[in-house]
Amino acid sequence: MTSSDTFDAVVVGGGPAGATAATDLARAGHKVLLLDKAGRIKPCGGAIPPRALRDFDLPESVLCARVTSARMISPAGARVDMPIEGGFVGMVDREHFDEWLRVRAAEAGAERAAGTFTRLDRDDDGTAVVCWQSKQDLDDKGREAPEQRTRARFVIGADGARSQVGKQAVPGADNVPCVYAYHEIIEAPAAGTDLGPNGPWDPNRCDVIYDGRISPDFYGWVFPHGKNASVGMGTFVKGTSLRDATARLRQDCGLTEAKTLRTEGAPIPLKPLKVWDNGRDVVLAGDAAGVVAPASGEGIYYALYGGRLAGEAVAEALKTGDAGALALARKRFMKAHGRVFWILGIMQSFWYKSDPRRERFVSMCRDKDVQNLTWQAYMNKELVRANPLAHVRIFLKDTAHLLGLVKP
């Protein structure tokens, strides 16, 4: 690569969003550079719905576990099991899953580079120049070589919640409220191992802990990853010790003695940005665009989808020469998922506000109508309208809980 090379698109960030955008554009015959930091692993529970496998042509071999139930645990220790009827939640380990996606992008024709984005510059003709530094590049005296410069007709910023591409190019991207998430990857106990109050270890069950001692405004989790497991939590409340909260979570779940393999932390955006592009040649995707679902914290499917939409928007702009096409990424995403994000945001702001409300929320999860509609919506990524009577029943039960007419 030389400074005179001009790519149709430079994708900054090789997570699910960036790798998907790079794959789609390369398959369409465009010249693409995928720039990614080497060795970074995002803290993530790793859940993906079956629809992700279908929509993004993911083989089941990328899964490290198939979860068939979830256990909701309340502040008082009430445990509600939610079996997944006729489906499953796929689990991935981001260390291996993200690299698989990057390899697929390269096989599709994208060029890969390992390095850190430093700034966005412009050549004399106005063409965007992505400046980046490879830690592996040393001069003949062992010093870091000068930053590299890569010309790009379009740039896709998929470089995380506090996107440097976004901060430099997209209005409003420099002020993104975030939850900070932390998790520990541990060696999973053998199936059936007695974990005390939480019962035997089930490698096919996710545990979701709604307890202000673990997280004052979000939740804690224990997600199986085959031989390993992800144990973590998230919060927006400053001053919360993430490590202490996770240690308490592990103790409560009988996992204190499990071997810790690695620890990771990162900011998670709270809601989609109002603007995803600069109207000229930059568009954001994934966490950089804020597409993590409120209440659940789910981000992988939405990152994959957002990356695809960013790739489609860039392809349209390349075809027509109209930079206004970049705005299609956000427009199409919000049309497909904006209502779900709005509902989940309301749910989080109300039910996660205090332990008494969390207690009632977990109690509601005992209801079969709630369970069925929750899993159908999760697995298919759309609001379920097939059973209007179930919606009416849920509304009435929800109202009863809100008014305190039902004991938790």
Side-chain angles (χ1 to χ4, degrees), residues 108-391:
E111 184 171 340
R112 288 184 63 177
T116 301
F117 170 84
T118 54
R119 60 195 175 90
L120 188 65
D121 201 354
R122 295 196 177 275
D123 269 353
D124 293 339
D125 62 1
T127 301
V129 177
V130 175
C131 303
W132 54 284
Q133 180 69 56
S134 171
K135 297 299 183 183
Q136 299 172 351
D137 289 342
L138 303 176
D139 64 16
D140 55 4
K141 295 183 179 180
R143 299 172 300 190
E144 287 187 359
E147 67 179 9
Q148 301 195 46
R149 295 168 57 84
T150 304
R151 285 165 50 95
R153 296 178 66 187
F154 292 93
V155 178
I156 296 177
D159 52 334
R162 291 176 177 158
S163 165
Q164 292 302 310
V165 174
K167 286 180 180 179
Q168 295 184 34
V170 178
D174 58 346
N175 185 24
V176 181
C178 294
V179 164
Y180 202 83
Y182 170 82
H183 80 160
E184 298 175 357
I185 298 295
I186 65 171
E187 285 187 354
T193 300
D194 184 11
L195 300 179
N198 209 35
W201 173 257
D202 184 347
N204 300 311
R205 187 190 74 215
C206 287
D207 288 359
V208 186
I209 299 88
Y210 297 97
D211 186 339
R213 297 179 310 117
I214 304 301
S215 173
D217 59 339
F218 202 54
Y219 63 81
W221 68 81
V222 179
F223 287 176
H225 286 180
K227 295 181 180 180
N228 303 329
S230 165
V231 183
M233 50 77 67
T235 182
F236 185 63
V237 178
K238 294 181 179 179
T240 302
S241 173
L242 307 184
R243 291 182 182 272
D244 288 350
T246 303
R248 185 179 301 117
L249 171 60
R250 289 179 63 167
Q251 182 178 18
D252 290 349
C253 295
L255 296 169
T256 300
E257 300 303 319
K259 182 180 179 180
T260 302
L261 303 177
R262 67 177 194 263
T263 64
E264 295 144 2
I268 308 296
L270 290 177
K271 59 182 179 181
L273 296 178
K274 293 182 179 180
V275 177
W276 292 7
D277 69 279
N278 68 346
R280 181 177 181 178
D281 51 13
V282 177
V283 63
L284 304 179
D287 280 12
V291 293
V292 175
S296 69
E298 182 191 0
I300 297 178
Y301 174 82
Y302 296 113
L304 292 165
Y305 185 66
R308 172 150 293 169
L309 293 180
E312 290 175 353
V314 167
E316 182 69 15
L318 285 166
K319 178 181 178 181
T320 65
D322 180 9
L326 298 178
L328 292 173
R330 187 183 191 278
K331 182 178 180 180
R332 290 169 176 170
F333 185 95
M334 297 307 293
K335 181 178 180 180
H337 300 294
R339 187 180 177 195
V340 171
F341 273 47
W342 177 71
I343 292 171
L344 291 175
I346 293 174
M347 189 181 87
Q348 178 177 339
S349 64
F350 183 84
W351 289 114
Y352 294 6
K353 194 174 184 65
S354 67
D355 276 352
R357 291 188 184 181
R358 293 185 188 97
E359 202 72 42
R360 290 189 174 277
F361 174 71
V362 172
S363 178
M364 286 176 59
C365 293
R366 290 191 176 94
D367 187 87
K368 291 298 182 182
D369 288 327
V370 171
Q371 293 183 13
N372 291 335
L373 290 178
T374 296
W375 289 128
Q376 288 301 315
Y378 173 82
M379 290 189 293
N380 297 301
K381 284 292 163 280
E382 58 187 17
L383 295 175
V384 180
R385 300 181 177 86
N387 191 346
L389 289 179
H391 285 279

